[in-house]
Amino acid sequence: MTAPRPFGLLAELTYRCPLACAYCSNPVEMDRYAEELSTADWQRVFTEAADLGVLQCHLSGGEPLLRRDLPDLVRTANDLGMYTNLVTSAMGLNRRRAEELRAAGLDHVQVSVQADEPATADRIAGIPSFDRKLEACRLVRELGWPLTVNVVLHRQNIDRVGAILELVEDLHADRVELANTQYYGWAWRNRTALLPSREQLDRAEEIVVAARERLAGRMEVVHVLPDYYSRYPKPCMGGWAQRQLTVAPNGDALPCPAAQTLPLPRASVRDAGLGEIWTSAPLFTAFRGTDWMQDPCRSCERRELDHGGCRCQAFQLTGDAAATDPVCHLSPEHHLVDAAVADANSAAPVDLELVPRGRLRRP
């Protein structure tokens, strides 16, 4: 089949990060990513991405501010006509750094916040960071950037969603993303301590719906529910290798950020051009379209809607990347998700031990 043209690139510039968030979806074996792409490598990747049709460049990590060349990379993406979005913990976003990025043409800033008050936020982040994050958010607004605040929700903070929304409103954010944890990487290790109960989810949903109505026209409120509680799986990435691609710090090119877990040949921008990888690399073609599907996906009328669900989640739970995502109630392996949900609804909602994310040494 003819490969579509992607419109979004997630450039994971580094997996180094000052935080130790237990819900992080970055890979657990981070030493594989210590040899990061050079400035020139990333500039070539951006050029090839623009040639493919990419319009949005999301600069992420880890913590992308740890890359000293970040302003140069922003300038390159901006010169290529791509909309640039910095996805950051905001640790290190001081005035000097912010003004450099503003001068380079950065279009948008997305700041992660872990909770609405210092003690809980700092415990989840693994270090004292709450006050510095709020200072950075105010700086972003002062410099005229659009501001998105991202809050990853889980059983350790979801009961505070009302207060979290009040905090984000006080920060005058343009957009808030309340995204329930996706269970990959470190979050997979901590699933028992992170997956909320049905009661917690229902209370949070009621609060979010009311806030969305109240804030209409002033702040966009995005609420991403945990797919473990869904009847059908999420349409992962809008379809495998259809709209988005990721490049990891070491140069691995991926159809989604978690695809490095799949038992397929690696594709690296160190070895091939991004256009060639997108069009013909086995990692990108394996699950593009619907021909690869097994039943019940193959005969399901929803196969063009949810694309069989998440390939990485299917592999993680079943060992078969082509299996129906077990989130789907039609999956023969749906009992695996039911068991996790049952555990979440039988355990205490807080005070479960979290394993903090490991830190990758500076190369």
Side-chain angles (χ1 to χ4, degrees):
M1 64 178 295
T2 302
R5 293 171 69 86
F7 68 80
L9 168 67
L10 178 63
E12 295 183 321
L13 303 180
T14 180
Y15 285 149
R16 292 174 284 137
C17 185
L19 305 186
C21 302
Y23 59 76
C24 184
S25 60
N26 285 164
V28 173
E29 297 176 354
M30 291 187 294
D31 283 341
R32 289 177 50 194
Y33 303 91
E35 187 178 345
E36 297 173 2
L37 293 178
S38 68
T39 305
D41 287 334
W42 276 115
Q43 290 172 327
R44 174 178 57 81
V45 167
F46 290 174
T47 300
E48 293 174 353
D51 290 342
L52 266 174
V54 168
L55 300 175
Q56 299 175 357
C57 182
H58 303 278
L59 303 158
S60 182
E63 177 45 67
L65 286 165
L66 291 175
R67 292 279 304 217
R68 295 179 181 177
D69 58 356
L70 183 58
D72 295 327
L73 299 180
V74 168
R75 186 173 293 107
T76 296
N78 183 65
D79 289 346
L80 289 165
M82 290 189 283
Y83 184 89
T84 51
N85 174 35
L86 177 65
V87 183
T88 177
S89 71
M91 303 298 287
L93 189 63
N94 54 36
R95 182 172 293 276
R96 179 188 62 80
R97 195 81 160 127
E99 289 178 347
E100 288 177 347
L101 293 169
R102 194 77 176 110
L106 182 68
D107 293 303
H108 182 275
V109 180
Q110 175 179 313
V111 176
S112 66
V113 174
Q114 282 69 33
D116 64 290
E117 51 86 28
T120 302
D122 293 347
R123 176 174 64 82
I124 294 170
I127 65 168
S129 56
F130 179 78
D131 291 335
R132 293 169 66 182
K133 286 173 175 284
L134 298 197
E135 289 175 9
C137 287
R138 296 184 184 106
L139 177 60
V140 167
R141 299 303 287 142
E142 179 187 336
L143 293 179
W145 274 306
L147 171 64
T148 293
V149 174
N150 176 268
V151 185
V152 177
L153 296 179
H154 43 78
R155 68 189 303 137
Q156 308 279 327
N157 66 2
I158 195 169
D159 294 330
R160 301 288 303 174
V161 71
I164 289 170
L165 282 163
E166 290 177 5
L167 171 66
V168 177
E169 186 179 1
D170 288 343
L171 292 171
H172 302 289
D174 300 282
R175 187 170 186 266
V176 59
E177 293 181 357
L178 303 167
N180 273 269
T181 303
Q182 301 295 315
Y183 295 102
Y184 310 107
W186 294 91
W188 172 250
R189 284 192 170 188
N190 285 292
R191 187 181 67 174
T192 300
L194 293 172
L195 186 62
S197 68
R198 168 60 73 180
E199 182 181 358
Q200 287 181 297
L201 285 173
D202 289 345
R203 284 199 306 265
E205 175 70 3
E206 183 177 343
I207 292 169
V208 171
V209 168
R212 187 181 287 124
E213 294 175 357
R214 178 174 59 82
L215 296 168
R218 288 190 288 148
M219 184 172 73
E220 182 183 1
V221 179
V222 178
H223 190 202
V224 182
L225 295 171
D227 56 352
Y228 273 50
Y229 283 90
S230 300
R231 186 171 173 81
Y232 297 103
K234 62 181 180 293
C236 187
M237 304 298 292
W240 187 265
Q242 293 290 318
R243 303 178 182 177
Q244 312 271 349
L245 72 157
T246 297
V247 176
N250 66 344
D252 283 352
L254 307 164
C256 79
Q260 75 279 348
T261 62
L262 300 184
L264 289 167
R266 298 278 72 90
S268 174
V269 298
R270 297 183 191 271
D271 304 322
L274 201 59
E276 177 186 346
I277 291 171
W278 173 262
T279 302
S280 58
L283 184 59
F284 282 74
T285 60
F287 304 113
R288 185 178 273 150
T290 59
D291 291 345
W292 58 271
M293 288 182 176
Q294 307 172 1
D295 279 326
C297 290
R298 179 183 293 274
S299 56
C300 181
E301 62 183 13
R302 294 179 55 88
R303 63 185 177 277
E304 299 284 357
L305 297 176
D306 57 35
H307 312 289
C310 177
R311 297 302 87 223
C312 302
Q313 187 160 260
F315 178 71
Q316 183 168 251
L317 291 172
T318 73
D320 180 4
T324 299
D325 187 337
V327 160
C328 183
H329 76 285
L330 299 172
S331 166
E333 306 297 335
H334 183 63
H335 62 91
L336 299 171
V337 173
D338 280 342
V341 168
D343 286 345
N345 284 276
S346 63
V350 293
D351 297 330
L352 294 174
E353 184 178 357
L354 292 169
V355 179
R357 175 189 185 272
R359 293 183 176 87
L360 181 63
R361 66 182 182 274
R362 181 180 296 273

